[in-house]
Amino acid sequence: MADGDVDLAERVEAVLSTDAEAFRRRAEADAETVKTELRDGTFDNHQSIVGLEYEFYAVSEGRWREGDLLAGDPVDGDAYHLSRVPRRLLELIGFEKELGLHNAEMTTSPQPLNADGLAAQASEVRAQLSAAQDTTQAEGMRLVSDGMWTIPPVGETAREYLRDSVDIDGVRVATNMSDAVRYHAMANSADADAFVVDAPHVDLSADTVLPESLITSIQPHYQVADADDIPVYHDLAARVAGPLLALGVNSPFFPADAYADDATPEAILADGWDENRVAVFESVMNEEDAEKVRFPADLDSVGEAVDRVAGDPTIVPMSVETGDRFDDAFATLRRKHGTYWRWVRPVFDGATRSAANARIEFRPIAAQPTVRDSIAFLAAFAGLMESLPRRHHPVADLAWETAEENFYAAVRDGIDADLSWVTTDGVETADRDVVFDDLLSHATAGLEDAGLDESTARSYLEPLRWRAETGVTPAGWKRERVRDRLDAGDDFGEAIAGMQRTYIREQSATLFDGTLADWVGTDR
């Protein structure tokens, strides 16, 4: 047993001994601090600002391919098995750890929403990722931009990898989870039960939350100028969540061994959802009396946004250390916000008083096939947040229940979902072409409002407009490849793995400057 595992177990025990009632009182007191600062205008800014969180998983490449072939991989040696990322390597490439040892996360520097700022976002992603790929390649790995991994590490099944854990003096520790104490503590709380993935034909559970590490996402941020307007942007973000998700679905398949033994390929293809990432996050992280991950209710005031975080059920109370940051004045509320997992959520923080900001974090979108595809969603979300409030778009009056139905319809059916929308003229429509045209036209207009010329604005959004016009999404691309392989005689496991290898090969050729459109008809 490694010394690090013992130390982690001791830290988990320390967290479990935290006084939950005292934690709740501190969070409520912090909420009053934030609301006071909001009344004083501390979180206001003179311009809109954008940022991006971008998650990846690592696979074996280069010098490890020979090992994959020797392990009996059925398709040449280009196997791309899931790979654990050494912690020293994460530090070297400047990425952050995420839940699984195979994960890595990039966070861009916030930039003003204008032509130079959006270009800087795209350039920073390319620069950081290019440097990271050069470094990881030397270690026999590649970072993959995707919604869910499907090929487990060499010599392991997905079930084994996700379920593997050890008991250290009564503390359950997931072997393949990073040393994120709060996640380990969730498996050891008094109310902890099995963590079960609830998705069509899937049979997967674990003693820890590690199944959540199946999934990876992008999270665009939009910082508002006037914090009092947070409810307006929050509610509009909820209205566009369904249509944007429909364009971005990218996790139609689990690892083959995660499915029930009696599930047939035909049933999985017929009944499976296009965005299983949502199903994984909700079913693994939610508890019966604590639905932490869900479509958010509308907000009446910015104060209500703060109170919701403070009043959200606490799964694992944790003590916090404070320092000289401005937002250390409400450190416990920030800690609690870390498990406030709504698909759209407001954020209040800042290292200094002058840097204090209020922003919307948009969480429904899976990581995309290429950088251009991912940046297209950042641009679309930012453009919509600029355009819809300014033009008083009538979709703001779309019933919350309808917006929620749109979201989960997109989870199930992707771009073929039945979506309801209200056009600029106030006309209710379920016509897919009209919905996406109105959505992307306003995203374009918002980017132009921010100072981009029409050609540049349309260029950022072209990957999404192509999807809307052709009906092709990453999930649809994956489904077609699996069907083709089944028709060619592959069994289901071979079909999923073969599709995944093709996905990664296509991505390696187009990651920085291509789009999903470049993958159609190629199959490298």
Side-chain angles (χ1 to χ4, degrees):
M1 185 183 304
D3 292 340
D5 290 337
V6 175
D7 176 67
L8 177 59
E10 291 174 348
R11 286 187 287 142
V12 169
E13 286 185 318
V15 166
L16 295 174
S17 67
T18 302
D19 186 321
E21 180 59 25
F23 180 85
R24 183 190 64 79
R25 290 195 301 268
R26 286 196 301 271
E28 291 176 349
D30 284 357
E32 295 306 313
T33 299
V34 172
K35 287 188 286 186
T36 297
E37 296 290 354
L38 283 165
R39 287 191 292 271
D40 292 343
T42 306
F43 291 94
D44 295 341
N45 290 278
H46 67 284
Q47 61 186 340
S48 302
I49 293 176
V50 293
L52 181 68
E53 296 177 46
Y54 200 150
E55 298 170 354
F56 303 85
Y57 62 79
V59 297
S60 57
E61 189 182 57
R63 60 192 176 96
W64 299 122
R65 289 183 184 171
E66 183 179 355
D68 293 338
L69 185 58
L70 293 174
D73 188 84
V75 181
D76 59 44
D78 197 10
Y80 300 122
H81 289 270
L82 195 71
S83 182
R84 299 165 178 86
V85 183
R87 303 299 89 176
R88 60 165 181 80
L89 187 58
L90 276 182
E91 295 175 4
L92 187 62
I93 65 177
F95 281 38
E96 299 294 326
K97 65 184 179 183
E98 253 295 330
L99 182 62
L101 292 181
H102 55 276
N103 292 129
E105 181 180 70
M106 170 202 308
T107 302
T108 63
S109 306
Q111 297 289 344
L113 178 55
N114 54 36
D116 291 334
L118 201 53
Q121 288 285 308
S123 294
E124 183 176 355
V125 170
R126 289 188 177 94
Q128 285 197 50
L129 184 54
S130 177
Q133 295 286 38
D134 289 344
T135 303
T136 56
Q137 186 175 25
E139 298 289 332
M141 284 180 280
R142 162 171 289 275
L143 297 179
V144 178
S145 175
D146 195 1
M148 183 184 297
W149 58 264
T150 59
I151 305 178
V154 175
E156 299 176 73
T157 66
R159 288 175 185 273
E160 291 169 342
Y161 180 82
L162 294 169
R163 289 175 168 177
D164 195 14
S165 64
V166 294
D167 185 291
I168 303 175
D169 296 330
V171 175
R172 177 64 54 185
V173 173
T175 307
N176 296 304
M177 192 187 298
S178 66
D179 61 350
V181 175
R182 74 180 180 193
Y183 292 117
H184 287 282
M186 287 178 67
N188 291 276
S189 65
D191 298 328
D193 202 348
F195 297 87
V196 181
V197 175
D198 184 8
H201 301 295
V202 171
D203 179 15
L204 179 63
S205 63
D207 292 331
T208 74
V209 300
L210 193 61
E212 195 270 336
S213 72
L214 281 163
I215 59 178
T216 38
S217 68
I218 56 171
Q219 297 172 22
H221 293 194
Y222 179 86
Q223 181 175 310
V224 306
D226 188 339
D228 281 342
D229 290 333
I230 276 286
V232 174
Y233 293 98
H234 173 274
D235 294 357
L236 283 169
R239 297 320 185 265
V240 304
L244 285 178
L245 176 59
L247 292 171
V249 286
N250 193 20
S251 55
F253 295 109
F254 286 82
D257 69 284
Y259 289 101
D261 291 339
D262 60 354
T264 65
E266 294 77 14
I268 292 169
L269 284 166
D271 303 333
W273 297 344
D274 272 11
E275 195 57 276
N276 284 302
R277 191 181 68 85
V278 170
V280 170
F281 200 22
E282 290 193 350
S283 59
V284 172
M285 305 307 282
N286 283 340
E287 298 180 359
E288 186 174 347
D289 57 348
E291 291 190 356
K292 309 280 287 181
V293 189
R294 65 177 189 264
F295 192 77
D298 286 345
L299 290 170
D300 291 328
S301 68
V302 68
E304 183 182 20
V306 179
D307 289 337
R308 280 192 188 169
V309 177
D312 200 46
T314 299
I315 298 176
V316 179
M318 296 178 65
S319 60
V320 294
E321 296 181 1
T322 59
D324 297 329
R325 288 176 58 101
F326 162 73
D327 50 22
D328 281 338
F330 46 95
T332 299
L333 187 70
R334 286 178 60 223
R335 172 76 73 183
K336 193 164 188 184
H337 182 273
T339 59
Y340 183 76
W341 293 308
R342 304 308 191 266
W343 291 112
V344 176
R345 69 178 182 183
V347 183
F348 306 92
D349 64 16
T352 65
R353 181 174 293 272
S354 61
N357 66 88
R359 63 183 185 272
I360 298 296
E361 191 176 272
F362 191 68
R363 302 167 58 83
I365 308 299
Q368 295 294 300
T370 73
V371 169
R372 273 196 67 194
D373 289 319
S374 293
I375 293 296
F377 280 100
L378 170 63
F381 179 64
L384 289 165
M385 292 299 95
E386 285 289 302
S387 176
L388 299 183
R390 182 173 302 192
R391 289 169 173 78
H392 302 287
H393 195 292
V395 78
D397 297 325
L398 186 72
W400 177 86
E401 292 79 6
T402 303
E404 183 191 35
E405 290 169 3
N406 283 344
F407 180 76
Y408 289 105
V411 169
R412 294 187 299 271
D413 300 322
I415 202 166
D416 294 322
D418 292 328
L419 303 174
S420 297
W421 187 254
V422 182
T423 67
T424 305
D425 300 327
V427 177
E428 293 187 13
T429 183
D431 185 308
R432 189 183 80 179
D433 292 339
V434 174
V435 172
F436 290 133
D437 181 66
D438 194 69
L439 183 84
L440 296 176
S441 294
H442 277 86
T444 303
L447 294 178
E448 292 181 49
D449 292 341
L452 282 70
D453 61 61
E454 181 181 4
S455 175
T456 302
R458 291 186 67 86
S459 177
Y460 276 113
L461 300 176
E462 180 56 33
L464 305 188
R465 193 169 289 280
W466 177 85
R467 296 183 189 188
E469 292 173 352
T470 63
V472 178
T473 62
W477 182 93
K478 289 178 175 179
R479 285 179 177 277
E480 183 178 352
R481 298 305 171 284
V482 168
R483 286 192 184 97
D484 288 346
R485 289 180 174 276
L486 290 170
D487 291 343
D490 281 3
D491 66 31
F492 190 60
E494 291 170 342
I496 288 182
M499 171 278 293
Q500 194 67 60
R501 294 186 189 95
T502 303
Y503 180 100
I504 296 172
R505 282 195 290 269
E506 293 284 356
Q507 184 172 103
S508 67
T510 60
L511 178 60
F512 296 105
D513 297 310
T515 70
L516 177 64
D518 299 316
W519 296 17
V520 174
T522 58
D523 279 6
R524 292 174 176 81

